[in-house]
Amino acid sequence: MFLLGIEKYRVHEVAKDFGLPTKTITEILTKYAETPKNHMQALTDQELSLIFEYLTQHNPVSSIQVIFADTYKEEPAKEPATKKPEPAGKAAAPAQGQQVRQSVPAQSAQSSQGGRQQPQQQNAASRQVAQIKREGGDASHMMEELGALSARIKALDVQTAEAKAAVENWLMGVPNIPDASVPVGKDETENVEVLRWGTPRQFDFDIRQHWELGGAALDFERATRLAGSRFALYMGWAARLDRALVNFFLDQHVKHEDYIEVCPPFMVNRATMTGTGQLPKFEEDLFKMPAWDYYLIPTAEVPLTNIHAGEVLDEADLPRAYCAATPCFRSEAGAAGKDTRGLIRLHQFTKVEMVRFAHPDDSFNQLEIMVGHARTLLEKLELPYRVITLCTGDMGFGSAKTYDLEVWLPAQNTYREISSCSNCIDFQARRADIRFKPKGGKSTYCHTLNGSGLPTGRAMAAILENGQQKDGSIVLPKALVPYMDGVEVIEPAGKK
């Protein structure tokens, strides 16, 4: 049995633990393996100490049972009255055993206050057992108490792991700290408007909702049969317009700005969702694949930000920018009864996302740049919009500062969010371990930013409502005409 133990723990680990040559360890262990268990006096104190110290670090109870198996099975318990006197200067073996037997329960009681001390106490008790057996004493009671102590250690290990997991789970639910420039407020009614662009058009006819203008090209009835509520089926020109918007957005970001286009996975694992802050707090908002540790992405922010998880970037690489067009999947758990019709709030929609990695000294400047990129898209689409700064009560979980861009929807006679641009400072970088190394300095966390640039569904709704004509046709923004192969006007719904 012992030789199997040596194979299990590996001789080089013993040598590493005690700072001795491998040859020396091998010789000691071989000597022990060849020594009858009832002749342990042949081993020196140093040899016994090394063997016990090593074995009890890994599996105290089973190792001791292997060592003393023959002894305590073959030797019957001795009555105190019949024991031989011990040599002068040494306590009788039963007295030693009794002393240790009294100390083990005390150690167990202390473990509730200091579990980390118990492995050391167990190792010390194990060495006392060795001394008792070496001197011919009875250690059977001690063995039982060591077994109880081992069980206590295992229970404390479980409790420690549970407590650690609870603390980590709580910490993962603590939101980011708002920047000092963020207005204090309780909810969306206290957000602060920064600017407006464009003048909402005045209509001399009854304004129609975008789902009415879409007609059969936006088939919500069949989408409901295919999947359920909050899905859309784009047909004909609507599908083509959706694709045109994606291409227009990506071309703007890649050709005229500094983004690298990415085609990421549309499903990611738990660690990736945790890195950007969706888990564990917002799991109910996600679509999970039950048989796998995969989640459908709610936004391309998740895979794009985690591209550099666990990496150290060069300072010269900052700022670094990515963009991607992906489907986004959201349960809309808290949106019951809101926007039940149309393209505003769906379980699945297409969006182009912008993500930036920035130096901590430059991240708020990068936020302004990102907002400018989203504004450019709306202006080229000739859509009136406004920019607001979210107050503390309306900010997202991981953001230190957020600007929302809201587009004008004539049929609702209001502005609705179409882009949200946030600086998360080092919040996500700490969770995902994304660092950069300054020249001549130690690596530190970079800042991450994300923003919509833009969602195609809400953009299409705004284009249809703002471009509608009295006869039901829709005039497209000039910037989209090349992406629609020269089509300038969408014919009225129902007209062939």
Side-chain angles (χ1 to χ4, degrees), residues 72-244:
Y72 65 68
K73 283 183 181 178
E74 293 176 3
E75 294 184 5
K78 299 178 182 180
E79 295 297 330
T82 62
K83 286 199 64 64
K84 297 179 181 180
E86 290 293 335
K90 292 186 179 181
Q96 286 189 4
Q98 182 65 30
Q99 178 185 6
V100 176
R101 286 196 294 273
Q102 291 172 350
S103 67
V104 171
Q107 292 165 1
S108 298
Q110 294 169 1
S111 68
S112 63
Q113 300 177 357
R116 287 181 296 181
Q117 298 176 357
Q118 292 214 0
Q120 292 89 337
Q121 294 169 346
Q122 188 178 35
N123 291 342
S126 299
R127 287 193 293 274
Q128 293 182 49
V129 171
Q131 182 67 21
I132 294 171
K133 299 306 298 182
R134 184 171 176 274
E135 295 171 355
D138 180 12
S140 58
H141 294 290
M142 179 62 179
M143 295 299 304
E144 293 177 2
E145 291 168 355
L146 279 173
L149 182 57
S150 177
R152 176 62 175 159
I153 290 174
K154 291 179 180 178
L156 287 173
D157 286 342
V158 172
Q159 293 176 22
T160 301
E162 291 175 349
K164 183 179 179 181
V167 170
E168 290 181 350
N169 190 63
W170 183 86
L171 288 173
M172 286 295 182
V174 177
N176 202 349
I177 300 173
D179 183 68
S181 63
V182 174
V184 176
K186 64 181 184 297
D187 55 33
E188 62 183 7
T189 62
E190 299 190 51
N191 293 334
V192 177
E193 184 173 314
V194 177
L195 60 86
R196 294 191 181 198
W197 183 92
T199 302
R201 177 182 161 200
Q202 298 299 312
F203 293 84
D204 58 1
F205 57 88
D206 291 337
I207 303 173
R208 284 182 262 188
Q209 301 277 1
H210 65 272
W211 60 82
E212 297 173 326
L213 295 164
L218 293 176
D219 196 335
F220 295 99
E221 182 180 348
R222 286 192 173 95
T224 300
R225 293 207 305 265
L226 290 172
S229 61
R230 296 194 186 277
F231 287 91
L233 179 65
Y234 297 80
M235 302 286 288
W237 63 259
R240 187 177 182 182
L241 180 57
D242 188 79
R243 176 162 51 92

Side-chain angles (χ1 to χ4, degrees), residues 281-430:
K281 189 175 179 64
F282 303 105
E283 187 155 9
E284 68 173 7
D285 296 329
L286 304 173
F287 283 106
K288 182 179 180 181
M289 301 180 66
W292 302 81
D293 186 28
Y294 290 151
Y295 294 82
L296 298 178
I297 60 172
T299 165
E301 168 200 344
V302 176
L304 293 185
T305 303
N306 280 278
I307 286 176
H308 295 299
E311 296 181 8
V312 179
L313 303 173
D314 289 332
E315 185 175 24
D317 289 337
L318 301 178
R320 191 169 184 83
Y322 296 117
C323 67
T326 68
C328 302
F329 305 91
R330 299 184 184 178
S331 71
E332 299 292 352
K338 298 179 181 178
D339 301 309
T340 55
R341 301 188 67 181
L343 300 172
I344 301 301
R345 199 181 296 272
L346 300 174
H347 288 311
Q348 175 188 322
F349 58 93
T350 301
K351 177 164 67 80
V352 173
E353 183 74 3
M354 306 176 287
V355 166
R356 301 182 75 83
F357 299 85
H359 191 287
D361 296 339
D362 186 45
S363 64
F364 283 97
N365 175 56
Q366 292 298 315
L367 177 61
E368 302 297 329
I369 291 173
M370 178 178 281
V371 171
H373 295 159
R375 291 180 58 191
T376 297
L377 295 174
L378 292 173
E379 290 171 15
K380 288 192 173 185
L381 291 176
E382 305 166 39
L383 297 173
Y385 69 88
R386 69 173 184 171
V387 178
I388 62 173
T389 304
L390 299 192
C391 70
T392 53
D394 195 34
M395 285 174 56
F397 173 72
S399 174
K401 185 173 185 177
T402 298
Y403 291 109
D404 269 7
L405 282 73
E406 298 180 340
V407 69
W408 177 256
L409 292 182
Q412 296 186 22
N413 194 37
T414 190
Y415 291 96
R416 296 297 302 269
E417 178 197 337
I418 192 168
S419 177
S420 189
C421 298
S422 300
N423 183 3
C424 296
I425 55 175
D426 58 357
F427 182 82
Q428 294 177 328
R430 289 180 181 275

Side-chain angles (χ1 to χ4, degrees), residues 235-294:
M235 302 286 288
W237 63 259
R240 187 177 182 182
L241 180 57
D242 188 79
R243 176 162 51 92
L245 286 166
V246 168
N247 291 335
F248 168 64
F249 296 157
L250 288 175
D251 281 353
Q252 178 64 31
H253 294 318
V254 174
K255 294 180 179 179
H256 304 288
E257 292 151 7
D258 60 346
Y259 294 89
I260 299 171
E261 184 177 352
V262 179
C263 184
F266 300 161
M267 58 183 75
V268 295
N269 58 32
R270 176 173 289 272
T272 300
M273 282 288 190
T274 302
T276 42
Q278 278 73 23
L279 290 178
K281 189 175 179 64
F282 303 105
E283 187 155 9
E284 68 173 7
D285 296 329
L286 304 173
F287 283 106
K288 182 179 180 181
M289 301 180 66
W292 302 81
D293 186 28
Y294 290 151

Side-chain angles (χ1 to χ4, degrees), residues 19-36:
L20 295 174
T22 301
K23 182 178 179 182
T24 302
I25 301 297
T26 303
E27 290 174 353
I28 294 173
L29 297 176
T30 302
K31 179 180 177 182
Y32 169 74
E34 295 173 350
T35 300

